[in-house]
Amino acid sequence: MLKLGEKIIYELSDGFSLEGINKYSPAKKKLFITNLGNVIIGNEEDVLSDTGTRYVYSYSDYKIKLSASLENEEIVIYDENVPFDVITGKNSRESVGNLKIKMNIKDYSLICKNQRDFIFEINDSKSFFVLDEDRVFMGGINKDHEKFVFISGKNRFEIYYDDIERFLIEGNQISFKGYFHIERESIIARSVQIFSNNIKRMLPADFEEMISSNKKIGNLPNDSDIVFSRISGNIDGFDYNNSNMLLVRYDENLIIINKKTKKKIISTKFENCSRINVGNENIIFDGKNIFKLYLSEKNKKIVDIDSIPKVQKNDIGFTKKGNPLFIRNKNGILKLMKSEEKEIMSIDDKDIVDIITIKENNEEKINKDYFATDIRFKNEYVRIYLKTKTIEKLLRDVFLDSKKEKLSEADNKELYKNWSKSMNDMILYNFFADLYNTRKFVRESLEKENTTDEVRINLVNMLYEEVQNKKEEIDTLSVYMPSVIEKSGEKFFDKENIKVDRSIYRDFGEIFADTAYMLKDGLNDIEIILSNLDFVLSPSDRRRHVYRMLKENESDKLNLFMDKILKKLNHIIDNMYPYYIREMNERLYIVFYKLGLEYNKIKSENLKESLFEEITEMYAFGQLMYSEEDDIRRKDVIDNLYKTSENDIRGINSNKFFTGGGRFE
C-alpha cells in the first residue's frame, strides 16, 4: 500500500532487472517509482490493489541512494545488495537483490523534478550534462569567474554565464536557457541541463543577481535555424573584426545577432543576399552592406548558405585575406571603400603608374571569377581581387582620367593616328598571338626534364584542337575585320554625307585574306604532322587509358613527331612571322593612310571623343593577361610580335597614347 501523500510518478515495462532474490520472476512485472523515492516491482494490478506479491525498496526507510552512470547516452541505475521487502498480502520478508534500471535523460529529469529527495546519486561525484534535452554526457564540472567548464573524456563544453538568459533549479537539476555555442559540436544549444549530487554547491556566489543583469536575446522561434558565425566588415557604419555572432535563418530571413551584446546587427531577406566564395569563407552583400562571414562546414549546410547566388555587382572585390570592399572611380579619384560611406584609401588617377593582373597557381587562387590585381601608384601598390569586367572598367576609367588634358589639346588628325596605331596592334594580335603563345607553351612543356608520353599525348590533343580552332578563327577575322574598321567611322561619314572610297575597305579585306592564306598554309603543315599521331587523339577522359596502352614503337613515333611539330612551329614563328608581320604592317600603313585622308574630311568635334573611346577600349584589352595560365600581358605579346619583324613601325610617341601600331605622317 502506498504511504500517505505517496504517488507513482514513473513506471517502466522493460529495461529493468532484479537479480538475486529467491523465486523472483520478471514475467509480467513492471517497475514503479514514487515521489518519495520508493521503488516497487510487481504486477500492475497487484501494486495498485496491494494484492499478490510486490518487491519494494523503501528509500523512506533505508535512505540509500542508487548509483547512476552513463552508457551510450543512456542512464543506467545499478546497485548490488539493494534491500527489498518482498510483500505478499500481509506477509513480508526482507531480501537483497541486484537492481538495474535503464532510462533516457528525459525520464531521469522527470523523476528528479517530481521527488522530494532524489534517490539517484551519480557515480564518482560526477555530473550529467545535457544539450537541448537530448544529448547527454557524464563528466566533471568546474567553474571560474566567467563560465562553467564541463569535461568528459575528449569533450570539453564551456557555458559562459553571460549567455544564460534564465535558469531553474529543481532538486539536483539546474536548467539553463539561452544560446550557448558548443564549439566542439559546432552547434548552438538553446538549453543546457546539469544534474549533480549537490547542484547548489556548483553555483558561484551571487549567481542569481548575475543572470538577472545579463543582456538577453529572448525567445527565437523553435523552427528557426541558429548557428555560430564570425563576421568581419562594416555593417550599418560599425566595424567588425572576426566578431562572434549568431546567425539565424527564419522564414526566409537572415538575421545576425551580436553574441556579446545580444543585439540584432542586421535582418534581411535571404533572397536579397548574394555572395562571393573566398576559400572557406563567404562575402555577403545584402544590397547595402558587404561583410565576410565565417561558418563551419556543418553550419553552412544548416543555413544553406551555398544556395545564395553569386554577387552580380562588379564594384565589389576583396583583399588577400578575404576582407570585402567596394571599388569606386569618380572625378579622377580611385576609392577603396569598406562601406558606402567609409573609405579605406583613395588614389588620384594621375598617380596610378600601372594596373597589373597577377598570375596565381591553383593553390593560391581563392575564387576563379576574381583575379589578383596590383594597383601601382607612386612607389607603392595595393593588391585586391576583382572581376575581369571590373579590371577592364578600372583600366578604362583611369586611362580616360589621366589623358583628359592631352585629349583637349589634340585634334582629330592626331587622334586618328593614335586610333589607327591601336587598331594595327589589335589586328596583329588577333592574327598572330595565339600561335605565338602556343609555340611558347609547347616548347616549355617539351624542354622540361623527364617529359612523359602522357604530357606529349595531351600536347598532341591540345594542338589538334588549337589548329582547327585557329583556322576557323582566321577565316572569320579575314571576312569580318574590314566591317569592324568600317563601322568605326560610318556614323560620322553618313552624318556629314561623305562618300568614302569603298576600295579602301576592300584593300583591308585583301590584306587579311592574304595573311590568312599564309597562316593557314603553316597550320596545314602542322595538321599533316599531327595526322601521323592519330592513334593518341582521344577525349580527355580517355587519355590516361591511351597512355597506359601505348606500345614502345608508338612511344618512339610520338617522340619523333612531337619534335617535328616543335621544329615546324619554330620555323613559322622564327622564320616566317617576320615576313608575314612586316608584309602586313607595310600594307596596312598604306591603307590606313588612305583611310586617314577620308577621316580628315570629318569636321565633327565628337569624332575625337569617339576615337579616344575606342583607343581606351583597346588599351584596356592590351593591359590584361593573355590567359589565366600565363602571366604575360597582351600588350607584351604585341610587343614581342613586333620584335620578330625587322621593320619597326612603332614610331608614334607611345607615352602619349596607346603603345604599338604603325607610323603615319
Side-chain angles (χ1 to χ4, degrees):
M1 179 179 291
L2 297 178
K3 297 180 180 180
L4 184 64
E6 185 177 20
K7 60 181 179 180
I8 292 173
I9 60 170
Y10 181 74
E11 66 177 72
L12 197 60
S13 298
D14 51 24
F16 70 93
S17 64
L18 179 61
E19 298 176 346
I21 295 181
N22 189 32
K23 296 183 180 180
Y24 171 80
S25 171
K28 298 182 180 180
K29 298 288 195 302
K30 284 188 175 184
L31 180 143
F32 302 88
I33 298 176
T34 75
N35 60 322
L36 300 183
N38 300 326
V39 178
I40 306 171
I41 300 174
N43 179 284
E44 182 174 8
E45 184 179 340
D46 292 340
V47 170
L48 295 177
S49 63
D50 290 342
T51 60
T53 299
R54 306 178 303 284
Y55 300 81
V56 180
Y57 164 66
S58 176
Y59 177 73
S60 304
D61 296 333
Y62 294 103
K63 296 297 182 182
I64 300 173
K65 292 184 179 287
L66 303 178
S67 298
S69 61
L70 185 67
E71 293 181 11
N72 299 321
E73 295 197 17
E74 190 173 41
I75 307 298
V76 176
I77 313 298
Y78 180 76
D79 247 317
E80 296 180 344
N81 301 319
V82 178
F84 275 89
D85 292 326
V86 182
I87 304 171
T88 304
K90 294 183 179 182
N91 299 318
S92 175
R93 63 182 174 89
E94 291 185 11
S95 184
V96 294
N98 302 331
L99 177 64
K100 187 174 186 178
I101 309 171
K102 291 184 179 181
M103 64 181 68
N104 58 41
I105 192 63
K106 292 181 180 178
D107 291 344
Y108 189 86
S109 175
L110 172 70
I111 297 168
C112 177
K113 292 175 183 177
N114 288 280
Q115 285 187 330
R116 294 183 197 172
D117 191 2
F118 196 42
I119 65 167
F120 302 143
E121 185 173 63
I122 304 172
N123 286 353
D124 303 322
S125 299
K126 292 186 177 180
S127 300
F128 291 143
F129 184 87
V130 187
L131 297 177
D132 284 331
E133 302 179 356
D134 182 22
R135 299 185 61 190
V136 58
F137 304 86
M138 181 178 175
I141 192 163
N142 298 307
K143 65 177 183 291
D144 61 23
H145 68 285
E146 63 176 356
K147 62 183 179 294
F148 295 113
V149 180
F150 180 86
I151 300 173
S152 173
K154 295 181 180 180
N155 294 302
R156 175 189 172 93
F157 304 136
E158 297 179 343
I159 301 299
Y160 285 84
Y161 303 147
D162 58 9
D163 286 335
I164 301 172
E165 299 194 0
R166 59 186 187 274
F167 73 97
L168 177 65
I169 298 176
E170 298 173 288
N172 281 11
Q173 168 188 358
I174 185 168
S175 300
F176 299 129
K177 295 292 185 182
Y179 301 92
F180 310 102
H181 177 218
I182 310 300
E183 186 171 2
R184 183 179 289 273
E185 300 291 316
S186 188
I187 62 170
I188 297 293
R190 300 190 187 210
S191 72
V192 170
Q193 295 166 283
I194 297 173
F195 296 86
S196 177
N197 297 334
N198 193 334
I199 203 73
K200 291 183 179 180
R201 190 173 61 187
M202 184 187 74
L203 301 180
D206 303 323
F207 185 69
E208 186 170 353
E209 291 81 357
M210 185 192 307
I211 302 307
S212 65
S213 64
N214 278 349
K215 300 180 176 102
K216 297 174 176 60
I217 294 173
N219 291 325
L220 294 172
N222 289 330
D223 57 344
S224 59
D225 294 317
I226 178 168
V227 297
F228 173 80
S229 65
R230 288 195 292 271
I231 282 180
S232 296
N234 185 279
I235 300 177
D236 289 340
F238 293 94
D239 289 335
Y240 300 94
N241 183 19
N242 214 29
S243 301
N244 294 337
M245 299 284 173
L246 301 182
L247 181 67
V248 182
R249 183 173 180 180
Y250 174 68
D251 195 24
E252 295 309 311
N253 288 297
L254 198 63
I255 304 163
I256 297 174
I257 299 170
N258 190 308
K259 186 177 182 297
K260 183 176 181 180
T261 67
K262 315 303 183 195
K263 290 182 178 179
K264 181 176 68 177
I265 300 302
I266 192 173
S267 177
T268 186
K269 286 289 185 184
F270 205 75
E271 62 185 18
N272 292 338
C273 295
S274 52
R275 71 184 178 100
I276 304 170
N277 175 257
V278 283
N280 293 325
E281 299 170 338
N282 285 275
I283 290 172
I284 302 296
F285 175 58
D286 70 344
K288 177 186 176 184
N289 305 288
I290 49 172
F291 51 90
K292 182 172 67 173
L293 175 68
Y294 169 80
L295 291 168
S296 69
E297 291 301 317
K298 178 179 179 180
N299 289 340
K300 284 179 186 177
K301 293 177 181 177
I302 290 174
V303 296
D304 196 19
I305 204 74
D306 289 345
S307 69
I308 296 178
K310 291 182 180 179
V311 165
Q312 297 302 312
K313 284 175 67 68
N314 293 321
D315 61 351
I316 294 176
F318 52 89
T319 67
K320 179 68 175 177
K321 292 184 178 179
N323 294 318
L325 51 82
F326 293 106
I327 182 163
R328 303 282 166 77
N329 192 278
K330 190 175 182 181
N331 299 326
I333 303 294
L334 175 66
K335 292 185 177 183
L336 305 182
M337 316 279 290
K338 64 174 66 176
S339 71
E340 296 286 0
E341 293 80 25
K342 285 198 173 184
E343 181 182 301
I344 302 171
M345 67 183 303
S346 62
I347 310 168
D348 194 311
D349 283 351
K350 293 178 182 177
D351 293 332
I352 295 177
V353 178
D354 208 347
I355 298 172
I356 302 176
T357 305
I358 306 299
K359 178 190 174 185
E360 293 185 302
N361 58 41
N362 292 333
E363 290 74 24
E364 294 175 311
K365 202 164 183 60
I366 51 181
N367 186 297
K368 64 181 181 63
D369 297 325
Y370 290 77
F371 297 88
T373 306
D374 282 357
I375 301 173
R376 299 184 178 180
F377 58 101
K378 296 183 178 179
N379 294 321
E380 302 177 72
Y381 80 96
V382 59
R383 179 169 296 179
I384 54 179
Y385 288 75
L386 302 169
K387 286 182 178 180
T388 299
K389 287 184 178 179
T390 311
I391 301 169
E392 290 176 343
K393 184 178 186 302
L394 188 59
L395 285 165
R396 289 193 297 268
D397 290 347
V398 171
F399 184 76
L400 284 167
D401 287 334
S402 64
K403 303 298 182 183
K404 278 182 180 177
E405 291 182 10
K406 289 183 173 62
L407 179 62
S408 63
E409 298 169 1
D411 56 20
N412 287 359
K413 186 175 182 180
E414 187 172 4
L415 262 295
Y416 172 78
K417 290 178 182 179
N418 281 277
W419 171 83
S420 58
K421 183 172 182 288
S422 299
M423 186 62 75
N424 195 102
D425 287 352
M426 290 302 98
I427 292 168
L428 191 72
Y429 179 88
N430 279 288
F431 274 96
F432 296 103
D434 283 349
L435 198 58
Y436 179 87
N437 284 287
T438 297
R439 191 273 295 263
K440 178 175 178 288
F441 178 75
V442 171
R443 184 158 61 184
E444 288 175 352
S445 299
L446 292 178
E447 289 177 353
K448 289 179 181 177
E449 291 186 13
N450 302 319
T451 302
T452 65
D453 283 338
E454 187 173 11
V455 171
R456 294 185 181 91
I457 289 169
N458 286 327
L459 283 174
V460 169
N461 281 273
M462 181 274 289
L463 280 167
Y464 179 79
E465 293 177 10
E466 192 76 19
V467 167
Q468 306 307 313
N469 293 337
K470 191 59 187 173
K471 287 169 71 174
E472 293 179 2
E473 185 182 332
I474 289 172
D475 285 338
T476 304
L477 282 170
S478 62
V479 171
Y480 292 104
M481 185 64 81
S483 299
V484 172
I485 299 171
E486 182 177 3
K487 286 188 178 297
S488 182
E490 188 176 44
K491 61 181 178 181
F492 293 102
F493 291 128
D494 290 345
K495 186 175 182 180
E496 299 189 21
N497 201 25
I498 297 171
K499 302 297 182 184
V500 182
D501 182 357
R502 305 290 302 173
S503 66
I504 294 173
Y505 299 114
R506 288 194 293 273
D507 289 343
F508 277 121
E510 288 178 7
I511 295 170
F512 300 148
D514 291 346
T515 303
Y517 177 81
M518 291 186 292
L519 286 173
K520 286 172 69 176
D521 189 51
L523 292 171
N524 287 334
D525 288 345
I526 295 173
E527 196 170 27
I528 290 170
I529 300 173
L530 286 170
S531 67
N532 293 281
L533 300 173
D534 57 359
F535 57 90
V536 298
L537 294 176
S538 58
S540 58
D541 59 348
R542 290 280 300 163
R543 288 174 199 165
R544 177 59 65 90
H545 175 73
V546 171
Y547 166 64
R548 287 197 296 261
M549 300 300 292
L550 203 65
K551 300 174 183 176
E552 184 176 350
N553 65 320
E554 290 176 328
S555 176
D556 294 339
K557 190 175 182 180
L558 177 63
N559 194 20
L560 171 67
F561 281 99
M562 277 307 303
D563 286 343
K564 287 182 177 292
I565 289 170
L566 182 56
K567 287 178 182 177
K568 174 56 67 174
L569 284 169
N570 287 335
H571 171 68
I572 294 171
I573 304 302
D574 297 334
N575 300 327
M576 302 312 297
Y577 260 30
Y579 170 74
Y580 295 160
I581 293 172
R582 185 168 59 250
E583 181 74 10
M584 174 178 267
N585 282 334
E586 288 175 354
R587 294 174 69 183
L588 285 174
Y589 165 79
I590 295 170
V591 182
F592 271 123
Y593 178 79
K594 290 180 182 178
L595 184 61
L597 298 177
E598 302 294 328
Y599 269 82
N600 288 341
K601 299 174 185 177
I602 300 173
K603 305 304 179 185
S604 173
E605 287 294 323
N606 294 331
L607 175 63
K608 186 167 64 173
E609 284 72 20
S610 178
L611 290 174
F612 189 65
E613 284 179 8
E614 293 188 27
I615 291 170
T616 302
E617 291 295 329
M618 289 185 277
Y619 166 81
F621 176 85
Q623 293 296 107
L624 296 177
M625 287 192 298
Y626 169 76
S627 71
E628 291 184 35
E629 292 75 30
D630 204 323
D631 57 359
I632 189 170
R633 286 194 279 185
R634 291 164 179 163
K635 77 180 190 66
D636 297 326
V637 174
I638 294 169
D639 286 343
N640 289 335
L641 289 171
Y642 277 122
K643 288 176 184 176
T644 66
S645 172
E646 296 175 1
N647 182 25
D648 186 357
I649 65 170
R650 295 174 294 167
I652 291 181
N653 181 3
S654 60
N655 292 323
K656 187 166 186 178
F657 289 108
F658 189 74
T659 302
R663 180 174 180 174
F664 303 96
E665 302 298 336

